[in-house]
Amino acid sequence: MSKIPLVTALNNHRSKKAISFHVPGHKGGLLFEGTPDFKKFLEIDLTELTGLDDLHAPEGVIAEAESKLMNFYGTIKSYFLVGGSTVGNLAMIHATVKRGEQVIVQRNCHKSVFNGLKLVNASPIFISPEINKELSVVTGPSIETLERAIEINSTAKVLILTYPNYYGHVFDIKNLIDLAHSKGMIVLVDEAHGAHFQIGSPFPMSAVSLGADIVVQSAHKTLPAMTMGSWMHINSNRVSVKKVKEYLEMLQSSSPSYPIMMSLDRARNYLEEFSLTDVDYTIQEIKDFTEKLNKIDGIKVLETNDLLKLIIQNDRGLTGKQLQQIFEENGVYPELSDHKNVLFILPLLKKGAKYPFGRAITAIDNGMRQIQEVKEDNKQRILVFETAPISTLQKSFIVMESCNEELVMLEDAIDKVSAETITPYPPGIPLIIRGEKITNDMIDNIKMYLQNKIKLQGGHNLSNMKIVVFK
């Protein structure tokens, strides 16, 4: 029996040099004879042929590959996702939330969670996360906030959490899960950045191990899987497997990508065979890299709960955006930056694997040597915004669809209901959510972000100091 059944089946088919009279239209790469690298890749970009199974009704190699995933994570059922964690978040919300139902949701969730709630016309109760003031980033909500939210909204049947955050910080999610379960609630977790947590120490525990009912993971974030390659895990009998499957069939493409599925099969095998020796090797390689980074003049490295996430700051007054620009000018591309931090996502290395850490150190050192004194006006500002611990929408999603809108000056928007969501990105936590009542603090926060030239998603009229509200 193959350790990577889907990979084996695809390679076996490629070895047959079969003549294609089926989709996709590139015909196994034959239309790209002049580009051999691309052609080789396309040879495994296939469709539901004999022996290759069907993602929506798996009985062969895909079923076997998903079964291996299920066994590794110890779940009731696990699925391959070819549309990223986005499709998983949408499916788990549709499968567990009824129209108009109250849902308690962590405010700093991914936009796909907001979209899922909108599509089912849920009534969201937002709970705000705690703030890490050293980094000016948010982590997770406290048990006290959740207790209060449940007390106020006793009919809520679903809790949606994000764990870990983008920067690798975790929180005591176990207590939140247990509290929600004690109240008869289903717990859904967007664990996009935690697929590798199943390794165990030194990584935090996965929400799967901690008892969440459905967990969605982006394998492509930290494991060797292709972009959009993700997993969904059903972890309890509180959830209908039948419903989840039905919504995945609706929301996932009927022509799923075999290269993505192949990479998911490989990623699971890579993780399953990751030994303690490999863990020690990864720890040492990252430790050496971190120590050398810290020796570069102007660089300060902050570790997170996740070994693979490294936060870099500087002591010369540069914003994270400015620091990112210096890195990229010298050939080093981080995952993201914000007003204060630059985030590196590091590789999960097997023993003996080589990664160009040394070249990165040289490049960053060269870049930092070129920095001149930063003028006071251009220095970073500490931007920390706090939202109400518990908040709700003033209008339901379905009512908002029929409401008229108008464009007003920011100062005139206070106490009105926002008709747009405005989110600084990164890290992607909304300052204002469509349907929320606008407060004076929200307007002050928007102005502060604009003054510091932080990228805001939504709010296309903010350059003119205007915002769209409901009449």
Side-chain angles (χ1 to χ4, degrees):
M1 184 178 291
S2 172
K3 293 181 179 179
I4 39 177
L6 184 54
V7 174
T8 301
L10 286 166
N11 284 332
N12 285 343
H13 184 84
R14 176 165 53 182
S15 69
K16 295 175 183 176
K17 300 191 180 300
I19 300 171
S20 169
F21 291 103
H22 55 76
V23 298
H26 56 66
K27 303 302 178 189
L30 290 176
L31 303 189
F32 292 92
E33 289 285 3
T35 52
D37 290 343
F38 192 34
K39 179 179 178 297
K40 186 175 181 181
F41 172 76
L42 294 177
E43 287 174 358
I44 48 93
D45 183 30
L46 294 162
T47 189
E48 293 90 342
L49 304 177
T50 302
L52 298 186
D53 211 357
D54 178 354
L55 179 64
H56 293 293
E59 297 177 338
V61 289
I62 294 177
E64 188 180 345
E66 288 186 334
S67 178
K68 287 180 176 293
L69 178 65
M70 178 183 73
N71 292 336
F72 179 64
Y73 278 91
T75 59
I76 290 173
K77 185 66 179 173
S78 292
Y79 294 99
F80 282 5
L81 306 178
V82 294
S85 285
T86 290
V87 76
N89 288 340
L90 294 175
M92 72 180 181
I93 290 171
H94 276 80
T96 58
V97 180
K98 296 177 182 177
R99 290 184 65 81
E101 210 168 47
Q102 285 189 326
V103 179
I104 298 177
V105 57
Q106 192 173 323
R107 187 183 177 97
N108 58 319
C109 63
H110 189 264
K111 61 183 179 182
S112 60
V113 172
F114 285 108
N115 291 337
L117 295 173
K118 180 178 179 180
L119 287 170
V120 299
N121 190 33
S123 180
I125 298 101
F126 299 107
I127 53 174
S128 291
E130 303 287 286
I131 295 174
N132 181 321
K133 294 191 176 180
E134 180 185 13
L135 301 175
S136 301
V137 299
V138 296
T139 53
S142 68
I143 189 73
E144 292 78 16
T145 301
L146 179 58
E147 285 174 342
R148 181 62 178 150
I150 293 174
E151 181 182 330
I152 297 170
N153 308 279
S154 59
T155 62
K157 296 291 190 293
V158 174
L159 169 65
I160 306 176
L161 299 171
T162 302
Y163 169 97
N165 71 359
Y166 213 129
Y167 295 83
H169 293 102
V170 298
F171 53 94
D172 189 2
I173 193 174
K174 173 64 173 170
N175 276 346
L176 302 185
I177 293 170
D178 290 346
L179 173 61
H181 283 165
S182 73
K183 302 297 182 179
M185 300 175 71
I186 291 171
V187 182
L188 313 179
V189 178
D190 177 356
E191 195 174 74
H193 286 263
H196 59 294
F197 286 2
Q198 195 67 6
I199 290 174
S201 181
F203 299 104
M205 290 183 71
S206 167
V208 176
S209 302
L210 295 173
D213 299 293
I214 304 182
V215 179
V216 174
Q217 300 171 328
S218 294
H220 67 95
K221 302 270 189 206
T222 54
L223 301 178
M226 288 179 64
T227 298
M228 295 198 297
S230 300
W231 294 319
M232 172 189 275
H233 306 291
I234 299 177
N235 202 34
S236 83
N237 291 318
R238 296 181 187 89
V239 175
S240 167
V241 175
K242 180 175 178 290
K243 273 191 175 182
V244 172
K245 187 175 187 301
E246 284 176 355
Y247 280 107
L248 282 177
E249 288 177 9
M250 291 181 201
L251 296 166
Q252 294 223 86
S253 171
S254 59
S255 301
S257 165
Y258 271 83
I260 291 176
M261 290 190 287
M262 179 181 185
S263 74
L264 286 172
D265 198 19
R266 282 198 179 278
R268 185 270 314 154
N269 179 247
Y270 187 88
L271 197 59
E272 193 170 17
E273 294 186 345
F274 208 81
S275 67
L276 291 176
T277 302
D278 297 327
V279 170
D280 290 341
Y281 180 77
T282 295
I283 291 172
Q284 190 59 51
E285 288 289 292
I286 291 174
K287 180 182 177 183
D288 291 346
F289 179 56
T290 302
E291 289 176 351
K292 290 174 182 176
L293 275 176
N294 270 322
K295 290 178 181 177
I296 296 175
D297 189 25
I299 290 291
K300 176 184 178 183
V301 179
L302 300 174
E303 297 178 5
T304 73
N305 303 121
D306 183 357
L307 180 69
L308 301 188
K309 300 290 181 73
L310 214 59
I311 295 174
I312 300 175
Q313 299 178 348
N314 76 100
D315 56 10
R316 299 184 186 179
L318 291 172
T319 66
K321 292 290 183 185
Q322 291 168 330
L323 195 60
Q324 178 183 10
Q325 183 178 352
I326 291 167
F327 289 174
E328 291 181 352
E329 287 173 351
N330 287 273
V332 176
Y333 284 76
E335 170 67 13
L336 61 81
S337 67
D338 57 32
H339 57 283
K340 187 175 182 180
N341 311 295
V342 171
L343 176 67
F344 279 10
I345 298 182
L346 305 178
L348 191 63
L349 298 170
K350 292 199 172 184
K351 185 177 181 180
K354 300 301 179 185
Y355 203 79
F357 287 127
R359 190 154 58 88
I361 291 294
T362 300
I364 292 171
D365 188 38
N366 289 339
M368 296 303 292
R369 289 175 186 275
Q370 298 165 14
I371 297 176
Q372 297 178 351
E373 185 64 31
V374 180
K375 293 180 180 179
E376 191 64 33
D377 290 346
N378 293 326
K379 287 188 176 181
Q380 66 182 7
R381 302 288 185 269
I382 305 303
L383 303 180
V384 179
F385 71 92
E386 296 191 38
T387 54
I390 302 169
S391 59
T392 58
L393 300 181
Q394 298 295 305
K395 297 178 184 290
S396 71
F397 290 115
I398 199 164
V399 166
M400 282 188 272
E401 293 303 315
S402 58
C403 287
N404 293 322
E405 303 173 356
E406 62 180 336
L407 187 64
V408 300
M409 298 299 296
L410 288 178
E411 292 79 6
D412 298 329
I414 297 170
D415 291 333
K416 296 184 184 296
V417 177
S418 177
E420 55 187 338
T421 297
I422 298 173
T423 307
Y425 192 86
I429 304 125
L431 289 170
I432 301 177
I433 298 170
R434 188 171 189 259
E436 274 192 318
K437 185 178 180 180
I438 299 172
T439 66
N440 189 65
D441 285 345
M442 289 176 177
I443 297 301
D444 287 344
N445 283 327
I446 287 175
K447 289 178 178 178
M448 181 168 60
Y449 273 78
L450 290 172
Q451 288 168 3
N452 286 274
K453 299 179 180 178
I454 302 299
K455 181 180 178 182
L456 295 172
Q457 292 186 345
H460 301 299
N461 298 284
L462 288 178
S463 58
N464 297 317
M465 304 302 285
K466 293 182 179 181
I467 187 172
V468 181
V469 298
F470 291 111
K471 283 188 176 180

Short mmCIF file of all heavy atoms in Angstrom, two decimals, residues 352-401:
data_model
loop_
_atom_site.label_atom_id
_atom_site.label_comp_id
_atom_site.label_asym_id
_atom_site.label_seq_id
_atom_site.Cartn_x
_atom_site.Cartn_y
_atom_site.Cartn_z
N GLY A 352 19.07 17.79 7.48
CA GLY A 352 19.95 17.86 6.33
C GLY A 352 19.47 18.78 5.23
O GLY A 352 20.23 19.13 4.32
N ALA A 353 18.20 19.20 5.28
CA ALA A 353 17.68 20.11 4.25
C ALA A 353 18.37 21.46 4.35
O ALA A 353 18.60 21.98 5.45
CB ALA A 353 16.17 20.27 4.41
N LYS A 354 18.69 22.02 3.21
CA LYS A 354 19.39 23.29 3.18
C LYS A 354 18.42 24.42 2.83
O LYS A 354 17.57 24.27 1.96
CB LYS A 354 20.53 23.26 2.16
CG LYS A 354 21.59 22.19 2.44
CD LYS A 354 22.24 22.41 3.81
CE LYS A 354 23.29 21.33 4.10
NZ LYS A 354 23.84 21.47 5.48
N TYR A 355 18.55 25.51 3.53
CA TYR A 355 17.74 26.70 3.25
C TYR A 355 18.67 27.90 3.26
O TYR A 355 19.60 27.95 4.07
CB TYR A 355 16.62 26.86 4.29
CG TYR A 355 15.47 27.67 3.79
CD1 TYR A 355 14.52 27.11 2.94
CD2 TYR A 355 15.34 29.01 4.12
CE1 TYR A 355 13.46 27.85 2.45
CE2 TYR A 355 14.28 29.77 3.64
CZ TYR A 355 13.34 29.18 2.80
OH TYR A 355 12.31 29.93 2.31
N PRO A 356 18.46 28.89 2.38
CA PRO A 356 19.43 29.99 2.23
C PRO A 356 19.36 31.03 3.36
O PRO A 356 19.27 32.24 3.13
CB PRO A 356 19.06 30.60 0.88
CG PRO A 356 17.62 30.30 0.70
CD PRO A 356 17.40 28.96 1.34
N PHE A 357 19.44 30.55 4.60
CA PHE A 357 19.43 31.48 5.73
C PHE A 357 20.66 32.40 5.69
O PHE A 357 20.57 33.60 5.98
CB PHE A 357 19.44 30.71 7.05
CG PHE A 357 18.13 30.05 7.39
CD1 PHE A 357 18.09 28.69 7.70
CD2 PHE A 357 16.96 30.77 7.43
CE1 PHE A 357 16.89 28.07 8.03
CE2 PHE A 357 15.75 30.17 7.76
CZ PHE A 357 15.72 28.81 8.07
N GLY A 358 21.82 31.83 5.33
CA GLY A 358 23.05 32.63 5.30
C GLY A 358 22.96 33.77 4.30
O GLY A 358 23.39 34.90 4.58
N ARG A 359 22.40 33.48 3.13
CA ARG A 359 22.24 34.52 2.11
C ARG A 359 21.29 35.61 2.58
O ARG A 359 21.49 36.79 2.31
CB ARG A 359 21.75 33.88 0.81
CG ARG A 359 21.79 34.79 -0.39
CD ARG A 359 21.92 33.97 -1.68
NE ARG A 359 20.85 33.01 -1.86
CZ ARG A 359 19.69 33.29 -2.48
NH1 ARG A 359 19.47 34.51 -2.96
NH2 ARG A 359 18.78 32.35 -2.64
N ALA A 360 20.26 35.19 3.32
CA ALA A 360 19.31 36.17 3.85
C ALA A 360 19.98 37.09 4.87
O ALA A 360 19.74 38.31 4.88
CB ALA A 360 18.13 35.45 4.49
N ILE A 361 20.82 36.52 5.73
CA ILE A 361 21.53 37.32 6.73
C ILE A 361 22.41 38.37 6.05
O ILE A 361 22.41 39.56 6.42
CB ILE A 361 22.39 36.42 7.64
CG1 ILE A 361 21.50 35.55 8.54
CG2 ILE A 361 23.34 37.26 8.48
CD1 ILE A 361 20.68 36.30 9.55
N THR A 362 23.15 37.95 5.03
CA THR A 362 24.02 38.88 4.30
C THR A 362 23.22 39.99 3.65
O THR A 362 23.58 41.17 3.73
CB THR A 362 24.81 38.11 3.22
OG1 THR A 362 25.61 37.10 3.85
CG2 THR A 362 25.72 39.06 2.45
N ALA A 363 22.10 39.63 3.03
CA ALA A 363 21.28 40.62 2.35
C ALA A 363 20.68 41.62 3.32
O ALA A 363 20.68 42.83 3.07
CB ALA A 363 20.16 39.90 1.58
N ILE A 364 20.16 41.14 4.45
CA ILE A 364 19.55 42.04 5.44
C ILE A 364 20.61 42.94 6.06
O ILE A 364 20.39 44.14 6.26
CB ILE A 364 18.82 41.22 6.52
CG1 ILE A 364 17.60 40.53 5.91
CG2 ILE A 364 18.40 42.10 7.69
CD1 ILE A 364 16.93 39.52 6.82
N ASP A 365 21.78 42.38 6.35
CA ASP A 365 22.87 43.18 6.91
C ASP A 365 23.28 44.29 5.94
O ASP A 365 23.46 45.45 6.34
CB ASP A 365 24.06 42.27 7.21
CG ASP A 365 25.17 42.99 7.97
OD1 ASP A 365 24.85 43.82 8.83
OD2 ASP A 365 26.35 42.73 7.68
N ASN A 366 23.38 43.96 4.66
CA ASN A 366 23.72 44.98 3.65
C ASN A 366 22.66 46.07 3.60
O ASN A 366 22.98 47.27 3.52
CB ASN A 366 23.85 44.33 2.27
CG ASN A 366 25.09 43.47 2.14
OD1 ASN A 366 26.04 43.64 2.90
ND2 ASN A 366 25.08 42.56 1.19
N GLY A 367 21.41 45.68 3.66
CA GLY A 367 20.33 46.67 3.61
C GLY A 367 20.33 47.59 4.80
O GLY A 367 20.14 48.80 4.67
N MET A 368 20.55 47.02 6.00
CA MET A 368 20.52 47.84 7.21
C MET A 368 21.70 48.79 7.28
O MET A 368 21.60 49.87 7.89
CB MET A 368 20.51 46.93 8.45
CG MET A 368 19.26 46.06 8.57
SD MET A 368 17.71 47.00 8.59
CE MET A 368 17.84 47.85 10.15
N ARG A 369 22.81 48.44 6.65
CA ARG A 369 23.97 49.33 6.65
C ARG A 369 23.72 50.60 5.82
O ARG A 369 24.41 51.61 6.00
CB ARG A 369 25.20 48.61 6.08
CG ARG A 369 25.75 47.53 6.99
CD ARG A 369 26.89 46.77 6.32
NE ARG A 369 27.34 45.64 7.10
CZ ARG A 369 28.24 45.71 8.09
NH1 ARG A 369 28.78 46.89 8.40
NH2 ARG A 369 28.59 44.63 8.76
N GLN A 370 22.75 50.53 4.93
CA GLN A 370 22.47 51.66 4.04
C GLN A 370 21.48 52.66 4.65
O GLN A 370 21.22 53.71 4.07
CB GLN A 370 21.91 51.14 2.71
CG GLN A 370 22.89 50.25 1.97
CD GLN A 370 22.21 49.46 0.86
OE1 GLN A 370 21.09 49.75 0.47
NE2 GLN A 370 22.89 48.44 0.35
N ILE A 371 20.93 52.34 5.81
CA ILE A 371 19.90 53.20 6.42
C ILE A 371 20.54 54.43 7.04
O ILE A 371 21.52 54.35 7.79
CB ILE A 371 19.13 52.43 7.50
CG1 ILE A 371 18.39 51.25 6.88
CG2 ILE A 371 18.12 53.35 8.20
CD1 ILE A 371 17.69 50.40 7.90
N GLN A 372 19.94 55.55 6.74
CA GLN A 372 20.35 56.79 7.39
C GLN A 372 19.37 57.10 8.51
O GLN A 372 18.35 56.43 8.67
CB GLN A 372 20.37 57.93 6.37
CG GLN A 372 21.40 57.70 5.26
CD GLN A 372 21.37 58.81 4.23
OE1 GLN A 372 20.49 59.66 4.25
NE2 GLN A 372 22.35 58.81 3.35
N GLU A 373 19.66 58.10 9.31
CA GLU A 373 18.78 58.46 10.42
C GLU A 373 17.39 58.81 9.90
O GLU A 373 17.25 59.55 8.94
CB GLU A 373 19.36 59.66 11.18
CG GLU A 373 18.59 60.04 12.43
CD GLU A 373 18.60 58.95 13.49
OE1 GLU A 373 19.59 58.20 13.56
OE2 GLU A 373 17.62 58.87 14.24
N VAL A 374 16.38 58.26 10.53
CA VAL A 374 15.01 58.51 10.11
C VAL A 374 14.52 59.82 10.71
O VAL A 374 14.68 60.07 11.90
CB VAL A 374 14.09 57.36 10.56
CG1 VAL A 374 12.64 57.62 10.13
CG2 VAL A 374 14.58 56.04 9.99
N LYS A 375 13.95 60.67 9.88
CA LYS A 375 13.42 61.93 10.36
C LYS A 375 12.25 61.68 11.32
O LYS A 375 11.50 60.73 11.16
CB LYS A 375 12.96 62.81 9.20
CG LYS A 375 14.11 63.28 8.32
CD LYS A 375 13.58 64.15 7.19
CE LYS A 375 14.74 64.63 6.30
NZ LYS A 375 14.24 65.46 5.18
N GLU A 376 12.09 62.57 12.28
CA GLU A 376 11.06 62.39 13.31
C GLU A 376 9.67 62.20 12.71
O GLU A 376 8.88 61.39 13.17
CB GLU A 376 11.07 63.59 14.26
CG GLU A 376 10.24 63.39 15.51
CD GLU A 376 10.77 62.28 16.41
OE1 GLU A 376 12.00 62.09 16.46
OE2 GLU A 376 9.93 61.61 17.03
N ASP A 377 9.36 62.96 11.66
CA ASP A 377 8.03 62.90 11.05
C ASP A 377 7.74 61.54 10.41
O ASP A 377 6.58 61.18 10.19
CB ASP A 377 7.88 63.99 9.98
CG ASP A 377 7.81 65.37 10.60
OD1 ASP A 377 7.60 65.45 11.83
OD2 ASP A 377 7.96 66.36 9.87
N ASN A 378 8.79 60.80 10.06
CA ASN A 378 8.62 59.53 9.36
C ASN A 378 8.74 58.32 10.29
O ASN A 378 8.65 57.19 9.84
CB ASN A 378 9.66 59.40 8.24
CG ASN A 378 9.41 60.40 7.13
OD1 ASN A 378 8.27 60.74 6.85
ND2 ASN A 378 10.48 60.89 6.53
N LYS A 379 8.96 58.59 11.59
CA LYS A 379 9.14 57.47 12.51
C LYS A 379 7.81 56.78 12.79
O LYS A 379 6.74 57.36 12.65
CB LYS A 379 9.77 57.96 13.83
CG LYS A 379 11.25 58.32 13.68
CD LYS A 379 11.87 58.59 15.02
CE LYS A 379 13.37 58.86 14.86
NZ LYS A 379 14.02 59.11 16.17
N GLN A 380 7.94 55.50 13.19
CA GLN A 380 6.75 54.71 13.45
C GLN A 380 5.94 55.27 14.61
O GLN A 380 6.48 55.86 15.54
CB GLN A 380 7.13 53.27 13.74
CG GLN A 380 7.91 53.09 15.04
CD GLN A 380 8.31 51.65 15.26
OE1 GLN A 380 8.14 50.81 14.44
NE2 GLN A 380 8.86 51.39 16.44
N ARG A 381 4.63 55.09 14.53
CA ARG A 381 3.74 55.44 15.62
C ARG A 381 3.13 54.14 16.16
O ARG A 381 2.89 53.20 15.41
CB ARG A 381 2.61 56.34 15.14
CG ARG A 381 3.11 57.63 14.48
CD ARG A 381 3.69 58.60 15.52
NE ARG A 381 4.05 59.87 14.90
CZ ARG A 381 5.25 60.16 14.40
NH1 ARG A 381 6.20 59.23 14.42
NH2 ARG A 381 5.51 61.33 13.88
N ILE A 382 2.89 54.11 17.44
CA ILE A 382 2.25 52.94 18.03
C ILE A 382 0.75 53.03 17.78
O ILE A 382 0.09 53.95 18.26
CB ILE A 382 2.54 52.85 19.54
CG1 ILE A 382 4.05 52.88 19.78
CG2 ILE A 382 1.93 51.59 20.12
CD1 ILE A 382 4.81 51.80 19.06
N LEU A 383 0.23 52.11 17.01
CA LEU A 383 -1.17 52.13 16.65
C LEU A 383 -1.88 50.94 17.29
O LEU A 383 -1.71 49.81 16.86
CB LEU A 383 -1.34 52.08 15.13
CG LEU A 383 -0.64 53.19 14.33
CD1 LEU A 383 -0.90 53.00 12.85
CD2 LEU A 383 -1.11 54.55 14.77
N VAL A 384 -2.64 51.20 18.32
CA VAL A 384 -3.41 50.15 18.97
C VAL A 384 -4.85 50.64 19.06
O VAL A 384 -5.12 51.67 19.66
CB VAL A 384 -2.89 49.84 20.38
CG1 VAL A 384 -3.74 48.75 21.03
CG2 VAL A 384 -1.44 49.40 20.33
N PHE A 385 -5.76 49.94 18.42
CA PHE A 385 -7.16 50.34 18.53
C PHE A 385 -7.91 49.30 19.35
O PHE A 385 -7.67 48.10 19.23
CB PHE A 385 -7.80 50.52 17.16
CG PHE A 385 -8.02 49.24 16.41
CD1 PHE A 385 -9.22 48.56 16.51
CD2 PHE A 385 -7.03 48.72 15.59
CE1 PHE A 385 -9.42 47.38 15.81
CE2 PHE A 385 -7.24 47.54 14.90
CZ PHE A 385 -8.43 46.87 15.01
N GLU A 386 -8.77 49.77 20.19
CA GLU A 386 -9.56 48.88 21.02
C GLU A 386 -11.03 49.02 20.65
O GLU A 386 -11.54 50.12 20.49
CB GLU A 386 -9.35 49.21 22.51
CG GLU A 386 -7.91 48.98 22.97
CD GLU A 386 -7.75 49.05 24.48
OE1 GLU A 386 -8.67 48.58 25.18
OE2 GLU A 386 -6.74 49.58 24.94
N THR A 387 -11.70 47.90 20.50
CA THR A 387 -13.12 47.89 20.19
C THR A 387 -13.88 47.42 21.41
O THR A 387 -13.31 46.87 22.35
CB THR A 387 -13.42 46.96 19.00
OG1 THR A 387 -12.89 45.66 19.29
CG2 THR A 387 -12.76 47.48 17.73
N ALA A 388 -15.18 47.62 21.41
CA ALA A 388 -16.01 47.16 22.52
C ALA A 388 -15.85 45.66 22.69
O ALA A 388 -15.76 44.93 21.70
CB ALA A 388 -17.46 47.52 22.26
N PRO A 389 -15.79 45.16 23.93
CA PRO A 389 -15.60 43.71 24.13
C PRO A 389 -16.65 42.87 23.42
O PRO A 389 -16.34 41.81 22.88
CB PRO A 389 -15.71 43.56 25.66
CG PRO A 389 -15.38 44.90 26.21
CD PRO A 389 -15.87 45.89 25.20
N ILE A 390 -17.89 43.36 23.40
CA ILE A 390 -18.99 42.64 22.75
C ILE A 390 -19.78 43.64 21.91
O ILE A 390 -20.13 44.72 22.39
CB ILE A 390 -19.92 41.98 23.78
CG1 ILE A 390 -19.13 41.01 24.67
CG2 ILE A 390 -21.07 41.24 23.10
CD1 ILE A 390 -19.90 40.52 25.87
N SER A 391 -20.04 43.30 20.65
CA SER A 391 -20.79 44.22 19.80
C SER A 391 -21.66 43.42 18.83
O SER A 391 -21.40 42.24 18.56
CB SER A 391 -19.84 45.14 19.02
OG SER A 391 -18.95 44.38 18.22
N THR A 392 -22.69 44.08 18.30
CA THR A 392 -23.58 43.45 17.34
C THR A 392 -23.83 44.41 16.18
O THR A 392 -23.43 45.57 16.22
CB THR A 392 -24.94 43.11 17.99
OG1 THR A 392 -25.52 44.32 18.50
CG2 THR A 392 -24.78 42.11 19.12
N LEU A 393 -24.47 43.91 15.15
CA LEU A 393 -24.84 44.75 14.02
C LEU A 393 -26.15 45.46 14.33
O LEU A 393 -27.04 44.91 14.98
CB LEU A 393 -25.00 43.91 12.75
CG LEU A 393 -23.76 43.13 12.28
CD1 LEU A 393 -24.08 42.37 11.00
CD2 LEU A 393 -22.58 44.06 12.07
N GLN A 394 -26.27 46.70 13.84
CA GLN A 394 -27.50 47.48 14.02
C GLN A 394 -28.58 47.06 13.03
O GLN A 394 -29.77 47.25 13.26
CB GLN A 394 -27.20 48.97 13.86
CG GLN A 394 -26.23 49.53 14.88
CD GLN A 394 -26.78 49.48 16.29
OE1 GLN A 394 -27.84 50.01 16.56
NE2 GLN A 394 -26.05 48.83 17.19
N LYS A 395 -28.14 46.51 11.90
CA LYS A 395 -29.07 46.04 10.88
C LYS A 395 -28.67 44.63 10.47
O LYS A 395 -27.48 44.30 10.42
CB LYS A 395 -29.02 46.95 9.64
CG LYS A 395 -29.46 48.40 9.87
CD LYS A 395 -29.32 49.21 8.59
CE LYS A 395 -29.66 50.67 8.81
NZ LYS A 395 -31.12 50.87 9.07
N SER A 396 -29.64 43.80 10.17
CA SER A 396 -29.33 42.44 9.72
C SER A 396 -28.78 42.48 8.30
O SER A 396 -28.97 43.46 7.57
CB SER A 396 -30.59 41.57 9.77
OG SER A 396 -31.48 41.96 8.74
N PHE A 397 -28.11 41.40 7.90
CA PHE A 397 -27.54 41.34 6.55
C PHE A 397 -28.63 41.50 5.50
O PHE A 397 -28.45 42.20 4.50
CB PHE A 397 -26.81 40.00 6.35
CG PHE A 397 -25.54 39.87 7.12
CD1 PHE A 397 -25.40 38.92 8.12
CD2 PHE A 397 -24.46 40.70 6.86
CE1 PHE A 397 -24.22 38.79 8.83
CE2 PHE A 397 -23.27 40.59 7.57
CZ PHE A 397 -23.16 39.63 8.55
N ILE A 398 -29.77 40.86 5.73
CA ILE A 398 -30.82 40.90 4.71
C ILE A 398 -31.48 42.28 4.63
O ILE A 398 -31.84 42.74 3.55
CB ILE A 398 -31.87 39.79 4.98
CG1 ILE A 398 -32.67 39.51 3.71
CG2 ILE A 398 -32.77 40.12 6.15
CD1 ILE A 398 -33.43 38.20 3.75
N VAL A 399 -31.59 42.97 5.76
CA VAL A 399 -32.15 44.33 5.76
C VAL A 399 -31.20 45.28 5.04
O VAL A 399 -31.63 46.16 4.29
CB VAL A 399 -32.43 44.80 7.21
CG1 VAL A 399 -32.69 46.32 7.24
CG2 VAL A 399 -33.61 44.04 7.79
N MET A 400 -29.90 45.10 5.27
CA MET A 400 -28.92 46.00 4.64
C MET A 400 -28.99 45.97 3.12
O MET A 400 -28.67 46.96 2.46
CB MET A 400 -27.50 45.64 5.11
CG MET A 400 -27.17 46.14 6.50
SD MET A 400 -25.42 45.91 6.92
CE MET A 400 -25.43 44.27 7.60
N GLU A 401 -29.40 44.83 2.57
CA GLU A 401 -29.46 44.72 1.12
C GLU A 401 -30.45 45.69 0.49
O GLU A 401 -30.31 46.08 -0.67
CB GLU A 401 -29.82 43.29 0.72
CG GLU A 401 -28.75 42.25 1.06
CD GLU A 401 -27.41 42.55 0.43
OE1 GLU A 401 -27.38 42.90 -0.77
OE2 GLU A 401 -26.40 42.47 1.15
#
